[in-house]
Amino acid sequence: MRSDYCGQISRKHLGQTVTLHGWVHRRRDHGGVIFIDLRDREGLVQIVCDPDNPATFQSADKLRHEYVIRVTGLVRERPAGTVNTNLGSGEIEVLAQTIDILNPSLTPPFMMDDEHLSENVRLEYRFLDLRRPQMQNNLRLRYKTALAVRNFLDRHGFIDIETPMLTRSTPEGARDYLVPSRVQAGNFFALPQSPQLFKQLLMISGFDRYYQIVKCFRDEDLRADRQPEFTQIDIETSFLSQDEIIELMEELIRVVFKDVLDIDLANPFPRMSYDDAMRLYGSDKPDLRVPLTLTELTDAMKDVEFKVFREAAQMKDGRVAALRVPRGGELSRKEIDDYTEFVKIYGAKGLAYIKVNDLGKGAEGLQSPILKFLPQTTVNTILERTGAQNGDLVFFGADKAKIVNEALGALRAKVGHARGLAETGWRPLWVLDFPMFERDDEENRWVAMHHPFTSPAAGHEDLLETNPGAARAIAHDMVLNGWEIGGGSVRIHRQDVQSKVFTALNIGPEEAEAKFGFLLKALQYGAPPHGGIAFGLDRIVTMMAGAESIRDVIAFPKTQRAQCLLTQAPNTVDEKQLRELHIRLRQPEQKKN
């Protein structure tokens, strides 16, 4: 048995004989003396193999990368000049007395300290990738974060309650992952997109304070901060107001960052309305480290000659806005063209700009292909509102407000970081006062901005019938450095209000009963006022670790094509399994010549 972990050997072990287990991280032969860097989950320790011990030296000579070995040896000080201050065990070494090879290894496809690896190779050999110190640290950080969350919620009276993984399909938002039933032919379970309905039922059941660190599933297009299966810190409580929920959840995140990273977050977190976030930052999850803001110009562009600006300003739900970039005049034509291509990702057709070379020269001190289409009074309004100075550049967005917000909001963050304008540190934020609904133009109907169980603001119940677009929700999102890390709301606890929301969403009584009948029934049996929030554990840990993708903090993630390269999932199944599930696959259509 091991006596200690490799990375924990230190001066306090001097003169002691220790037994260590681990993987050969590196083997070096220096003039007849073999040095082994032995690695386990706690770090590295240097093993010295002296030719004066022929049996041990012979074993050491056979070792290769990633061999699993057991070493017994004497802890001694390193010779003067060989101390490694980068290692916790860097002041000592272990003189090997015996070495046992517990298991050899094939030559690994990459070295454990290689920082430039193909992600596909990493995911295919994930069992090796997870041996790398960086990945070991990430998953330990994840564990510590989850533990800090559990400890906090336990101290505040929350109970961890499991909810079903196999439930009914209630399609809202993302597509469900479906599971065919063998015993109920033609019927399907769905994997939960969240435990939303069950945690509301638990409040109706009187548990008062519930939490769960739980897997959720959404069949949606993936990106760096999304996975088909992800982990939520799911929280619900009864008889608390929105302010009380916000204060308690804010304290949770402050305590977690303090316990895990020894970082003090702001107290209290600033709060901002959804409307202000969109107006100033073009995003409901603004990165406040970037000091740039958008400037409203819609009213000033309704009669200008420049067609792009005029039509956007006159359009229903149109917007014209500007983004001033300090010292942006330094941008090359290629950089501006690259930013133009970037905003096209968000639906923008182009990216107009004005370079401010010298305000003292009036129109001659400005540079832009659009100046000839704008009267001087309008140009003066732009300069005055944006506060542009010599050397600045002003970008413009003009289209439907949704496109302008998404394009300039993303550009703001990208330019801010690229130009070194972003502050360091952590900038948390609450975004409040969300609309209840947003318009789905393709289907010509209202859809819930959060979910259909979010309570309308006080006095807005009547708007559900007369003007749904004006109704506001008692909803709250927590944002940190431009990432939404948590979202929640006060829930509807009265069946009559829930019915009005369904009507606004064009969900008739029969459809509502078919999808949510069990919740509607429960709301009639003394449902208490309740609300909560769900935090994205993967996102929080990704930010804490300084990682670029949530895949770096999940043990066995999927690719952006929702595949597991390690297990080769998803995979085909045999005909017998399909018959048991009453499923027949449709044959792909043959292409015509």
Side-chain angles (χ1 to χ4, degrees), residues 33-44:
V33 178
I34 296 176
F35 294 88
I36 304 296
D37 290 338
L38 189 63
R39 186 190 72 244
D40 61 19
R41 75 174 200 179
E42 299 298 331
L44 298 172

PDB file of all heavy atoms in Angstrom, residues 33-44:
ATOM      1  N   VAL A  33      22.941   7.774 -13.882  1.00  0.00           N
ATOM      2  CA  VAL A  33      21.911   7.899 -12.855  1.00  0.00           C
ATOM      3  C   VAL A  33      20.579   8.172 -13.559  1.00  0.00           C
ATOM      4  O   VAL A  33      20.493   9.074 -14.395  1.00  0.00           O
ATOM      5  CB  VAL A  33      22.223   9.024 -11.853  1.00  0.00           C
ATOM      6  CG1 VAL A  33      21.104   9.165 -10.832  1.00  0.00           C
ATOM      7  CG2 VAL A  33      23.559   8.747 -11.162  1.00  0.00           C
ATOM      8  N   ILE A  34      19.549   7.401 -13.257  1.00  0.00           N
ATOM      9  CA  ILE A  34      18.242   7.561 -13.899  1.00  0.00           C
ATOM     10  C   ILE A  34      17.321   8.328 -12.951  1.00  0.00           C
ATOM     11  O   ILE A  34      17.194   7.996 -11.772  1.00  0.00           O
ATOM     12  CB  ILE A  34      17.627   6.196 -14.251  1.00  0.00           C
ATOM     13  CG1 ILE A  34      18.504   5.481 -15.287  1.00  0.00           C
ATOM     14  CG2 ILE A  34      16.195   6.366 -14.785  1.00  0.00           C
ATOM     15  CD1 ILE A  34      18.028   4.072 -15.630  1.00  0.00           C
ATOM     16  N   PHE A  35      16.695   9.364 -13.501  1.00  0.00           N
ATOM     17  CA  PHE A  35      15.726  10.165 -12.743  1.00  0.00           C
ATOM     18  C   PHE A  35      14.326   9.892 -13.309  1.00  0.00           C
ATOM     19  O   PHE A  35      14.127   9.895 -14.526  1.00  0.00           O
ATOM     20  CB  PHE A  35      16.031  11.656 -12.855  1.00  0.00           C
ATOM     21  CG  PHE A  35      17.327  12.059 -12.212  1.00  0.00           C
ATOM     22  CD1 PHE A  35      18.517  12.019 -12.926  1.00  0.00           C
ATOM     23  CD2 PHE A  35      17.353  12.478 -10.886  1.00  0.00           C
ATOM     24  CE1 PHE A  35      19.706  12.382 -12.326  1.00  0.00           C
ATOM     25  CE2 PHE A  35      18.539  12.849 -10.291  1.00  0.00           C
ATOM     26  CZ  PHE A  35      19.724  12.800 -11.006  1.00  0.00           C
ATOM     27  N   ILE A  36      13.394   9.651 -12.413  1.00  0.00           N
ATOM     28  CA  ILE A  36      12.002   9.408 -12.796  1.00  0.00           C
ATOM     29  C   ILE A  36      11.137  10.483 -12.141  1.00  0.00           C
ATOM     30  O   ILE A  36      11.202  10.687 -10.923  1.00  0.00           O
ATOM     31  CB  ILE A  36      11.511   8.021 -12.324  1.00  0.00           C
ATOM     32  CG1 ILE A  36      12.411   6.908 -12.859  1.00  0.00           C
ATOM     33  CG2 ILE A  36      10.044   7.807 -12.734  1.00  0.00           C
ATOM     34  CD1 ILE A  36      12.414   6.784 -14.354  1.00  0.00           C
ATOM     35  N   ASP A  37      10.358  11.196 -12.950  1.00  0.00           N
ATOM     36  CA  ASP A  37       9.309  12.056 -12.395  1.00  0.00           C
ATOM     37  C   ASP A  37       8.056  11.201 -12.273  1.00  0.00           C
ATOM     38  O   ASP A  37       7.480  10.783 -13.283  1.00  0.00           O
ATOM     39  CB  ASP A  37       9.042  13.261 -13.307  1.00  0.00           C
ATOM     40  CG  ASP A  37      10.177  14.258 -13.301  1.00  0.00           C
ATOM     41  OD1 ASP A  37      10.953  14.250 -12.332  1.00  0.00           O
ATOM     42  OD2 ASP A  37      10.291  15.041 -14.267  1.00  0.00           O
ATOM     43  N   LEU A  38       7.667  10.920 -11.034  1.00  0.00           N
ATOM     44  CA  LEU A  38       6.512  10.070 -10.761  1.00  0.00           C
ATOM     45  C   LEU A  38       5.308  10.966 -10.463  1.00  0.00           C
ATOM     46  O   LEU A  38       5.406  11.916  -9.685  1.00  0.00           O
ATOM     47  CB  LEU A  38       6.800   9.146  -9.582  1.00  0.00           C
ATOM     48  CG  LEU A  38       5.759   8.045  -9.307  1.00  0.00           C
ATOM     49  CD1 LEU A  38       5.668   7.077 -10.477  1.00  0.00           C
ATOM     50  CD2 LEU A  38       6.110   7.306  -8.025  1.00  0.00           C
ATOM     51  N   ARG A  39       4.173  10.656 -11.070  1.00  0.00           N
ATOM     52  CA  ARG A  39       2.996  11.522 -10.994  1.00  0.00           C
ATOM     53  C   ARG A  39       1.796  10.760 -10.464  1.00  0.00           C
ATOM     54  O   ARG A  39       1.538   9.623 -10.849  1.00  0.00           O
ATOM     55  CB  ARG A  39       2.671  12.045 -12.406  1.00  0.00           C
ATOM     56  CG  ARG A  39       1.549  13.073 -12.463  1.00  0.00           C
ATOM     57  CD  ARG A  39       1.121  13.341 -13.901  1.00  0.00           C
ATOM     58  NE  ARG A  39       0.380  12.218 -14.450  1.00  0.00           N
ATOM     59  CZ  ARG A  39       0.789  11.481 -15.475  1.00  0.00           C
ATOM     60  NH1 ARG A  39       1.940  11.720 -16.069  1.00  0.00           N
ATOM     61  NH2 ARG A  39       0.036  10.473 -15.903  1.00  0.00           N
ATOM     62  N   ASP A  40       1.066  11.404  -9.559  1.00  0.00           N
ATOM     63  CA  ASP A  40      -0.260  10.926  -9.182  1.00  0.00           C
ATOM     64  C   ASP A  40      -1.175  12.139  -9.107  1.00  0.00           C
ATOM     65  O   ASP A  40      -0.809  13.228  -9.575  1.00  0.00           O
ATOM     66  CB  ASP A  40      -0.229  10.120  -7.875  1.00  0.00           C
ATOM     67  CG  ASP A  40       0.253  10.937  -6.681  1.00  0.00           C
ATOM     68  OD1 ASP A  40       0.229  12.188  -6.749  1.00  0.00           O
ATOM     69  OD2 ASP A  40       0.662  10.340  -5.667  1.00  0.00           O
ATOM     70  N   ARG A  41      -2.347  11.993  -8.529  1.00  0.00           N
ATOM     71  CA  ARG A  41      -3.320  13.091  -8.571  1.00  0.00           C
ATOM     72  C   ARG A  41      -2.875  14.321  -7.798  1.00  0.00           C
ATOM     73  O   ARG A  41      -3.379  15.416  -8.021  1.00  0.00           O
ATOM     74  CB  ARG A  41      -4.667  12.606  -8.048  1.00  0.00           C
ATOM     75  CG  ARG A  41      -4.725  12.442  -6.545  1.00  0.00           C
ATOM     76  CD  ARG A  41      -6.108  12.091  -6.071  1.00  0.00           C
ATOM     77  NE  ARG A  41      -6.266  12.392  -4.654  1.00  0.00           N
ATOM     78  CZ  ARG A  41      -7.387  12.209  -3.978  1.00  0.00           C
ATOM     79  NH1 ARG A  41      -8.443  11.709  -4.586  1.00  0.00           N
ATOM     80  NH2 ARG A  41      -7.459  12.523  -2.699  1.00  0.00           N
ATOM     81  N   GLU A  42      -1.904  14.157  -6.882  1.00  0.00           N
ATOM     82  CA  GLU A  42      -1.454  15.296  -6.073  1.00  0.00           C
ATOM     83  C   GLU A  42      -0.248  15.998  -6.653  1.00  0.00           C
ATOM     84  O   GLU A  42       0.162  17.050  -6.140  1.00  0.00           O
ATOM     85  CB  GLU A  42      -1.141  14.834  -4.647  1.00  0.00           C
ATOM     86  CG  GLU A  42      -2.331  14.246  -3.902  1.00  0.00           C
ATOM     87  CD  GLU A  42      -3.457  15.248  -3.717  1.00  0.00           C
ATOM     88  OE1 GLU A  42      -3.179  16.464  -3.645  1.00  0.00           O
ATOM     89  OE2 GLU A  42      -4.624  14.810  -3.641  1.00  0.00           O
ATOM     90  N   GLY A  43       0.350  15.451  -7.718  1.00  0.00           N
ATOM     91  CA  GLY A  43       1.481  16.129  -8.343  1.00  0.00           C
ATOM     92  C   GLY A  43       2.645  15.198  -8.605  1.00  0.00           C
ATOM     93  O   GLY A  43       2.494  13.971  -8.695  1.00  0.00           O
ATOM     94  N   LEU A  44       3.836  15.810  -8.723  1.00  0.00           N
ATOM     95  CA  LEU A  44       5.048  15.082  -9.115  1.00  0.00           C
ATOM     96  C   LEU A  44       6.034  14.990  -7.950  1.00  0.00           C
ATOM     97  O   LEU A  44       6.067  15.858  -7.079  1.00  0.00           O
ATOM     98  CB  LEU A  44       5.747  15.797 -10.271  1.00  0.00           C
ATOM     99  CG  LEU A  44       5.014  15.947 -11.595  1.00  0.00           C
ATOM    100  CD1 LEU A  44       5.804  16.847 -12.532  1.00  0.00           C
ATOM    101  CD2 LEU A  44       4.794  14.590 -12.242  1.00  0.00           C
TER     102      LEU A  44
END
